[in-house]
């Protein structure tokens, strides 16, 4: 009993902390408060607290149920939100000097996944369940954790590229002549641009365009790096999944829906890397590919489970 | 963002930290044209005291280009340098000689490769959307001609293009083969020469050419050798010739794309080989019976040849399941013995789900289980074996049932006692009216009285579902293993269905018929 209450407490703490962090971000944006350093630090601290809370949650489940906490959809969603907060921690710790606004992406993602997991849709899955015989293998840890971490990284990178697309398209619209004065809908990121929104010009070398250009370049490069990391994880995950399948079911690849969609995801991101080799296509085109990849990851992770068929049906659930 | 807004020249040129970010931010020549300098990843740092260094970044999958060596032109150059296959002399051969070169040039086109990858992805997605492996009637029903999806997609599309078996259809395989050849062509034409080119040293001799590099800076009172030492500390390979210095970093990044492409080619080759040259089979064997391996293995392709191990006989000693405290199944175990042609036991092992048995190139996996028969005593007579039939199978949750007729067995409306079981642990009994009568555990010897008949459940016999695979390949002669496949699996359910309509005596005699089916 202790463990389940501990779990509850940790879930609630992490959830509320992340919502506070997001609120801080929104405040920073909409009130046009100039980067108050104190607020920024507290949001970072908030993310650190979230990270430890979710880690604690996962460890508790592990001890309580005796198996690695990745056996059904609920646990993998928690793991996914852990992955997001992990990415945020790593980027925060490693690149302390280059203050980046990655937390604008990771924090909401973490909260949304965790919120969905804890929400009413999946209430019957909260209890730690018994592991089916096919899942009782050492490979479980490696394969599933690599896949989920890969998804987390790829989702982050895709969101960054989507942000890039949004900015570029808005820039194109502006140059055509429209004058929009409202804040970017994705505006958590561009507080600078908020200020320069007042300027009305279409000259290429204006300071506004300069800042925006810098921003797009930064987004582009961050997206590239995170997607590279995610792609490596995804590759390792698919390969270890194939080896495990050989151990358990007798063949390396069964054209299972989940396997096939994981392969499709892999292919789309391979296309992304190939478009980047050619400098003409870089930038917007690769961002388009990545946006497709975003949708495909969700189909792969969630949509296939809705079908509920195939060898991967552990994660299936019915919406009732 | 702050650091990016500082376009002034930073005299702080030395970058001993191998921070991946750092070289980027040292871009002190801020160039307001978009897409020019920011996208050139490798930056060359040049110093005008007749020293030039160039620096490359470690990158996966991104061609590291140095300004001196233009990678944009390298592919064309290497295309020209490809030696055509030696096809003898003569003018007529001239055209044919050029053919491989042109084909290679076409195949290693990047947009083509991207297009192929998109096609493969799209076909795979379609393969999951359309149900695979069903009978044609299913497709007539699902994609009718009277009401086509999207206005044109009927079953004709599905069946002619082979979408019902998408992952072995010619369309899909053809695209994969095309992708494979593109891979090979690209590796050969672009990446191998790039490695050669990267290793070539080239020194820039004049100060002007150095200043024209993407990134250049001037250090007034410096010495070349100091710079060289510092660069070596930062992980560069430095070459010094007189007053000229050349350094690069990141050669490993050149090999990465080649390695990745070769790995993918290997995987595709392996997949093709296993698709054409292996055997597989599956069998459901009740506890206590045996089968010969050769009988249940069928070839998957035209290159499969059987080995000596095919003559081994497998005997299922015991099949049992482990349970959690809550009653759910935790693991399936099958105890197997292997006997060779002379009847000597060569191997004995207990299989479980993630732990297969390997012998002589054949691997046996535990994949499934089913309930074979229920052994009961009726009014002290018996034991009778009642075959259990599967009622509903929903993934891991199975339900089996059997029926013991009581009273007049020749009437058309036979009434009796039904027994249901979800696993080998507990049997639920219902009486003639279908009312719940009780639960019994096998081997508990506790009788239960239903409508005047005393039943004792003696034992529950399960059968183990096994999958067999073989990876042996002889030297490619096209012998096909003939005829005998999987008789046990096909016949067993039919037998059971027929049995349920009959009285126990006939059940017994047909159970004694079973070894004939499986053994031989």
């Amino acid at each position: 009993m202790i463990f389940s209450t501990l779990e509850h407490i940790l879930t609630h703490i992490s959830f509320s902390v992340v919502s506070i962090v997001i609120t801080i971000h929104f405040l920073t944006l909409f009130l046009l408060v100039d980067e108050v350093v104190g607020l920024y630090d507290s949001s970072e601290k908030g993310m650190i607290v979230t990270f430890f809370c979710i880690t604690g949650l996962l460890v508790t489940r592990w001890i309580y149920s005796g198996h690695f906490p990745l056996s059904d959809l609920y646990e993998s969603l928690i793991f996914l939100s852990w992955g997001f907060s992990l990415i945020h921690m790593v980027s925060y710790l490693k690149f302390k000097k280059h203050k980046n606004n990655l937390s604008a992406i990771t924090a909401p993602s973490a909260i949304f996944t965790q919120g969905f997991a804890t929400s009413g849709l999946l209430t019957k899955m909260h209890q730690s369940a018994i592991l089916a015989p096919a899942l009782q293998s050492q490979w479980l840890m490696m394969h599933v954790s690599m896949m989920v971490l890969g998804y987390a990284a790829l989702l982050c990178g895709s969101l960054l590229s989507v942000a890039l697309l949004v900015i570029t398209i808005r820039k194109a619209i502006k140059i055509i002549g429209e004058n929009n004065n409202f804040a970017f809908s994705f505006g958590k990121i561009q507080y600078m641009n908020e200020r320069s929104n007042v300027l009305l010009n279409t000259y290429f070398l204006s300071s506004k365009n300069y800042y925006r250009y810098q921003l797009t370049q930064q987004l582009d490069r961050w997206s590239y790096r995170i997607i590279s990391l995610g792609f490596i994880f995804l590759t390792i995950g698919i390969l270890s999944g194939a080896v495990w399948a050989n151990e358990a079911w007798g063949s390396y690849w069964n054209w299972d829906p989940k396997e096939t969609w994981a392969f499709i995801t892999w292919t789309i991101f391979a296309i992304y890397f190939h478009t980047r080799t050619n400098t003409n296509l870089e930038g917007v085109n690769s961002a388009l590919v990545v946006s497709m990849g975003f949708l495909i990851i969700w189909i792969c992770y969630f949509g296939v489970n809705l079908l509920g068929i195939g060898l991967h049906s552990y994660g299936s659930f019915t919406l009732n | 963002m702050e650091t990016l807004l500082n376009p002034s020249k930073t005299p702080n040129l030395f970058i001993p930290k191998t921070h991946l970010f750092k070289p980027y931010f040292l871009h002190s020549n801020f160039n307001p044209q978009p897409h020019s300098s920011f996208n050139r990843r490798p930056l060359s740092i040049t110093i005008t005291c007749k020293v030039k260094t160039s620096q490359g970044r470690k990158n996966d999958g991104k061609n590291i280009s140095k300004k001196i060596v233009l990678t944009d032109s390298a592919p064309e150059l290497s295309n020209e340098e490809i030696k055509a296959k030696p096809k003898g002399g003569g003018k007529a051969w001239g055209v044919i000689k050029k053919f491989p070169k042109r084909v290679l040039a076409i195949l290693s086109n990047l947009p083509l490769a991207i297009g192929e990858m998109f096609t493969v992805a799209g076909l795979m997605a379609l393969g999951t959307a359309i149900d695979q492996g069903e009978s044609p009637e299913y497709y007539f029903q699902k994609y009718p001609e009277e009401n086509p999806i999207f206005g044109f997609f009927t079953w004709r599309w599905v069946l002619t293009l082979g979408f019902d078996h998408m992952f072995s259809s010619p369309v899909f395989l053809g695209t994969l083969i095309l992708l494979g050849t593109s891979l090979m062509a690209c590796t050969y034409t672009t990446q191998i020469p790039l490695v050669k080119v990267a290793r070539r040293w080239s020194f820039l001799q004049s100060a002007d050419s150095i200043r024209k590099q993407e990134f250049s800076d001037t250090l007034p009172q410096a010495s070349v050798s100091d710079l060289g030492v510092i660069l070596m500390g930062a992980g560069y390979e430095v070459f010094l010739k007189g007053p000229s210095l050349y350094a690069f970093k990141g050669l490993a990044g050149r090999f990465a794309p080649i390695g990745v492409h070769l790995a993918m080619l290997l995987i595709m080759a392996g997949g093709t080989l296993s698709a054409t040259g292996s055997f597989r089979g599956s069998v459901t064997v009740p506890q206590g019976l045996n089968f010969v391996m050769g009988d249940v293995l069928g070839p998957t392709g035209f290159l499969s040849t059987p080995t000596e191990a095919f003559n081994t006989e497998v005997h299922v000693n015991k099949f049992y399941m482990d349970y959690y405290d809550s009653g759910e199944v935790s693991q399936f175990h099958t105890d197997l013995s292997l006997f060779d042609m002379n009847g000597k036991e060569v191997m004995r092992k207990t299989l479980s789900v993630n732990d297969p048995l390997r012998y002589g190139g054949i691997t046996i996996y535990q994949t499934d289980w089913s309930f074979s028969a229920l052994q009961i005593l009726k009014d002290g007579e018996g034991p009778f074996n009642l075959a259990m039939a599967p009622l509903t199978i929903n993934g891991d949750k199975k339900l089996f049932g059997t029926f013991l007729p009581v009273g007049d067995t020749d009437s058309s409306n036979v009434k009796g006692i039904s027994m249901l079981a979800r696993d080998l642990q507990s049997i639920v009994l219902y009486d003639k009216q279908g009312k719940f009568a009780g639960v019994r555990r096998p081997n508990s010897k506790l009788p239960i009285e239903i409508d005047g008949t005393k039943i004792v459940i003696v034992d529950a016999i399960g059968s183990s579902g096994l999958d067999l695979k073989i990876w042996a390949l002889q030297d490619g002669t096209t012998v096909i293993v003939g005829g005998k496949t999987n008789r046990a699996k096909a016949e067993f359910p039919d037998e059971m269905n027929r049995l349920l309509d009959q009285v126990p005596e006939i059940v017994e005699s047909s159970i004694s018929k079973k070894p004939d089916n499986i053994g031989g």
Side-chain angles (χ1 to χ4, degrees), chain A residues 153-166:
Chain A
L154 289 174
L155 283 170
C156 264
S158 328
L159 283 175
L160 285 172
S161 282
V162 168
L164 177 82
L165 266 185
V166 166

Side-chain angles (χ1 to χ4, degrees), chain A residues 95 130-131 133-134 136-137 205 210 213-214 221 225 244 246-248 250 255 261 263-264 274 276-277, chain B residues 4-5 19 21 24 30 32 34-35 41 60 62 110 124-125 128 167 264 324 330-331 354 358 365 469:
Chain A
F95 304 111
I130 313 283
L131 211 50
Q136 285 168 13
S137 165
L205 295 178
Y210 170 69
Y213 181 63
Q214 295 279 340
R221 280 193 16 264
R225 300 182 67 193
W244 185 14
N246 190 37
E247 279 290 311
W255 293 116
W261 276 99
F263 194 52
I264 293 177
H274 282 87
R276 284 187 80 88
T277 59
Chain B
L4 266 179
L5 304 177
H19 201 297
F21 246 136
Y24 191 82
F30 177 65
H35 290 300
R41 302 249 157 206
D60 269 15
K62 179 92 181 178
L110 184 67
M124 287 198 280
T128 53
F167 300 110
M264 291 191 52
Y324 288 112
S330 98
Q331 186 59 276
N354 275 314
R358 294 176 214 274
Y365 301 84
K469 291 294 296 297

Side-chain angles (χ1 to χ4, degrees), chain B residues 243-418:
Chain B
S244 240
L245 181 144
Y246 175 69
F248 67 84
K249 182 162 130 164
L251 187 62
R254 295 283 185 158
F255 291 116
I258 301 181
V260 171
H261 288 152
L262 277 179
M264 291 191 52
L265 284 173
L266 266 178
I267 290 179
M268 286 166 102
T272 322
L273 204 62
S274 77
T276 53
S278 70
F279 286 86
R280 52 186 319 164
S282 53
V283 60
T284 310
V285 189
Q287 175 176 307
L289 295 174
N290 51 10
F291 64 97
V292 179
M293 285 203 208
D295 285 344
V296 300
L297 287 172
T300 55
F302 55 91
L303 282 179
S304 326
T305 50
T307 64
E308 188 50 42
F310 272 46
N311 291 324
T312 324
E313 193 179 325
V314 183
H315 181 76
V316 178
N317 292 323
K318 190 157 158 25
F319 170 73
Y320 57 98
M321 303 196 272
D322 287 340
Y323 300 94
Y324 288 112
D325 291 333
S326 63
E328 307 251 345
V329 180
S330 98
Q331 186 59 276
F332 307 111
H333 298 278
T334 305
D335 185 0
L336 290 179
S337 294
L338 295 175
F339 298 97
D340 68 358
M341 293 254 280
N342 305 324
K344 199 166 58 99
E345 179 171 11
V346 286
M347 188 162 180
R348 180 171 184 156
K349 187 180 152 108
T350 304
L351 296 185
S352 50
V353 176
N354 275 314
D355 183 19
L357 179 149
R358 294 176 214 274
Y359 174 75
I362 301 186
T363 320
I364 302 186
Y365 301 84
Q366 166 89 54
T367 55
D368 202 356
W369 70 278
S370 86
F371 206 143
S372 161
L374 195 57
Q375 209 175 43
I376 60 164
L377 286 172
K378 182 184 164 203
D379 286 339
E381 307 160 359
F384 299 117
N385 276 347
L386 295 175
M388 297 285 269
L391 296 177
T392 52
I393 292 190
N394 184 13
D396 273 344
K397 308 238 179 304
K398 305 187 191 197
L399 194 61
F400 294 92
T402 190
F403 184 71
L404 179 66
V406 168
D408 199 354
T409 54
D410 285 328
S411 65
S412 50
N413 212 6
V414 183
K415 290 238 183 258
I417 301 169
S418 342

Side-chain angles (χ1 to χ4, degrees), chain B residues 73-132:
Chain B
S73 58
E76 282 77 43
L77 277 172
S78 54
N79 268 341
E80 310 280 319
E81 288 163 20
I82 291 171
K83 294 169 188 38
K85 299 186 210 139
K87 281 201 186 229
K91 217 166 178 204
W93 294 112
V95 174
I96 304 184
K97 239 195 238 184
K98 283 214 207 70
F99 184 65
K101 246 195 271 180
R102 285 216 355 248
V103 167
L104 269 176
I106 295 176
L107 278 180
S108 57
N109 188 15
L110 184 67
L112 177 71
I114 293 181
E116 280 166 12
M117 288 198 272
F118 265 122
T119 320
V120 165
L123 284 177
M124 287 198 280
L126 209 55
T128 53
I130 302 178
D131 296 320
Q132 300 284 301

Side-chain angles (χ1 to χ4, degrees), chain A residues 91-99 222 225, chain B residues 19 21:
Chain A
S91 63
Y92 171 63
L93 289 175
K94 231 185 149 202
F95 304 111
K96 257 203 176 105
K97 299 198 205 103
H98 314 110
K99 196 166 47 199
W222 267 106
R225 300 182 67 193
Chain B
H19 201 297
F21 246 136

Side-chain angles (χ1 to χ4, degrees), chain A residues 70-229:
Chain A
L70 263 184
S71 62
D72 59 5
L73 195 62
Y74 173 69
E75 289 181 347
S76 64
L77 277 173
I78 301 281
F79 203 86
L80 191 68
S81 58
W82 182 75
F84 282 126
S85 57
L86 180 69
I87 291 174
H88 181 262
M89 291 295 298
V90 165
S91 63
Y92 171 63
L93 289 175
K94 231 185 149 202
F95 304 111
K96 257 203 176 105
K97 299 198 205 103
H98 314 110
K99 196 166 47 199
N100 59 73
N101 295 298
L102 201 59
S103 63
I105 299 275
T106 52
S109 315
I111 194 179
F112 283 135
T113 39
Q114 197 171 0
F116 179 67
T118 2
S119 74
L121 278 177
L122 297 176
T123 34
K124 39 185 183 2
M125 290 208 177
H126 287 188
Q127 274 66 35
S128 8
I130 313 283
L131 211 50
L135 291 180
Q136 285 168 13
S137 165
Q138 296 300 93
W139 287 105
L140 171 71
M141 289 202 262
M142 160 103 143
H143 165 62
V144 187
S145 55
M146 280 286 128
M147 292 298 282
V148 178
L149 280 176
Y151 288 150
L154 289 174
L155 283 170
C156 264
S158 328
L159 283 175
L160 285 172
S161 282
V162 168
L164 177 82
L165 266 185
V166 166
I167 298 175
T168 321
I169 291 177
R170 287 189 61 93
K171 173 163 86 172
I173 293 177
K174 263 203 176 58
I175 291 179
I176 292 176
E178 235 176 301
N179 179 24
N180 305 321
N181 251 336
F182 57 87
F184 285 144
S185 54
F186 224 94
K188 302 174 202 151
I189 307 179
Q190 303 82 284
Y191 45 83
M192 287 288 218
N193 276 314
E194 296 319 303
R195 269 191 284 144
S196 43
N197 229 353
V198 190
L199 301 173
L200 244 193
N201 59 68
T202 52
Y203 286 115
F204 218 74
L205 295 178
S206 70
S207 52
K208 170 175 78 162
N209 281 320
Y210 170 69
Y211 292 149
R212 186 186 280 125
Y213 181 63
Q214 295 279 340
L215 182 66
T216 53
Q217 289 303 310
Q218 195 182 28
L219 280 178
D220 188 46
R221 280 193 16 264
W222 267 106
S223 151
Y224 177 68
R225 300 182 67 193
I226 291 191
I227 289 183
S228 309
L229 190 67

Side-chain angles (χ1 to χ4, degrees), chain B residues 48 50 204-213:
Chain B
T48 49
K50 291 253 191 330
L204 283 187
Q205 302 293 349
S206 80
D208 281 334
S209 58
I210 290 177
R211 259 188 242 123
K212 283 204 210 111
Q213 297 293 317

